[in-house]
Amino acid sequence: MSSWTYVNTNEDIDSLLKKTMGFHDAYIVGLEFMPGTFVSKKDVFFGGSGDKCLRVIFNSEWFAEPLEVIFEDVRRFNVAGWQSMYTDEIFECSLAIRYDLDRNVGEKLILWTDGGHPCEQREDELLNEPICTYVISSKMRWRFAKLRYKCPCCGYYTFARPPVGEFDNCPVCCWFYDLDNLYDADYINGATGMSLKEARKNFITIGACSEEFVSEVRRPLEDELEGIEWIVR
């Protein structure tokens, strides 16, 4: 996995846009917001450090590996994927260093959007009509990383693609997933003859989703310890 590259100058921006072809034909395939807040086991709320981060995974047929981007100290962001007539495909992006996006005029901030030319807009115009996905943060770093998708049974990142209805097999627990299991953990899997809940319990106790697969599983590899999440009930 490659090391992180920070965006600090316009030259850094030019380098990133050159390597990603301006994010043309790229897709957001994963997004995780980390506000720094949490609730303890005693139900005590902690506000965190205030350094909010947004992790975004991009992929494209032009990328050799998925692009992982971390926006640090996020001030505002909007995801426009649910709006009508909106396509997931990014045709162009805008990335710029701005000094006029905060009440503290002169503070250096980074603005990324998935379309249009927001560098020509004021902040209030951009936020009043958020027709695109955008992120405003004080820091940004990126790297190309071989990220995988999480197995809903063992929890390791063993799948090379998101669930698309095919019976892919996890080498760590031998779970065969299908789309029905992603929405109903009690659904009986057609390949294993058991529910996802039962398979999870089996993995904890015997190291495989079922006794018949104990001899076929292996330990997770280093690049299977982190990756992309999806919702599994």
Side-chain angles (χ1 to χ4, degrees):
M1 189 173 295
S2 59
S3 59
W4 291 103
T5 299
Y6 279 85
V7 174
N8 295 313
T9 66
N10 288 325
E11 288 74 19
D12 296 334
I13 291 177
D14 293 339
S15 176
L16 174 57
L17 295 181
K18 183 178 180 180
K19 292 179 182 296
T20 60
M21 298 180 63
F23 287 79
H24 180 66
D25 287 344
Y27 295 84
I28 294 177
V29 298
L31 188 148
E32 179 184 11
F33 180 53
M34 299 165 281
T37 58
F38 67 96
V39 178
S40 70
K41 294 182 179 180
K42 296 183 179 180
D43 295 330
V44 178
F45 173 78
F46 292 89
S49 63
D51 188 10
K52 300 174 173 58
C53 294
L54 182 68
R55 177 175 180 248
V56 185
I57 308 297
F58 299 90
N59 211 342
S60 168
E61 60 184 298
W62 308 111
F63 298 171
E65 303 287 356
L67 175 69
E68 181 179 13
V69 178
I70 303 289
F71 296 94
E72 301 179 15
D73 189 19
V74 174
R75 305 303 174 86
R76 299 189 186 191
F77 73 93
N78 177 73
V79 180
W82 56 79
Q83 296 188 21
S84 60
M85 301 304 292
Y86 182 88
T87 175
D88 291 333
E89 184 177 6
I90 299 173
F91 295 104
E92 61 177 333
C93 86
S94 177
L95 179 60
I97 296 174
R98 297 279 296 271
Y99 295 89
D100 59 343
L101 295 180
D102 195 80
R103 295 178 180 177
N104 299 322
V105 178
E107 182 179 7
K108 178 182 177 180
L109 294 174
I110 296 173
L111 171 62
W112 181 94
T113 78
D114 69 349
H117 299 281
C119 293
E120 300 172 0
Q121 295 177 296
R122 300 195 312 271
E123 180 192 18
D124 57 347
E125 293 175 337
L126 179 65
L127 300 180
N128 286 337
E129 190 176 359
I131 60 174
C132 62
T133 297
Y134 70 86
V135 184
I136 300 174
S137 66
S138 65
K139 298 178 182 178
M140 175 183 178
R141 53 190 167 102
W142 62 273
R143 65 180 177 180
F144 286 106
K146 187 176 182 179
L147 299 179
R148 297 179 176 271
Y149 291 83
K150 188 176 184 178
C151 172
C153 177
C154 66
Y156 292 105
Y157 300 86
T158 56
F159 292 109
R161 58 184 175 181
V164 291
E166 299 183 14
F167 286 89
D168 287 337
N169 170 258
C170 172
V172 174
C173 67
C174 274
W175 173 255
F176 291 81
Y177 76 71
D178 60 35
L179 292 179
D180 292 315
N181 287 128
L182 297 182
Y183 304 105
D184 184 1
D186 292 313
Y187 175 82
I188 302 301
N189 185 286
T192 62
M194 67 182 65
S195 70
L196 179 56
K197 284 185 178 180
E198 184 180 358
R200 288 170 174 169
K201 292 179 181 179
N202 287 340
F203 179 73
I204 293 174
T205 56
I206 64 177
C209 70
S210 174
E211 289 186 2
E212 64 179 299
F213 298 126
V214 171
S215 62
E216 300 181 29
V217 299
R218 62 164 173 77
R219 295 183 62 82
L221 305 177
E222 184 177 354
D223 64 355
E224 295 171 342
L225 301 180
E226 61 175 337
I228 303 172
E229 305 265 355
W230 65 69
I231 296 175
V232 181
R233 289 180 175 83

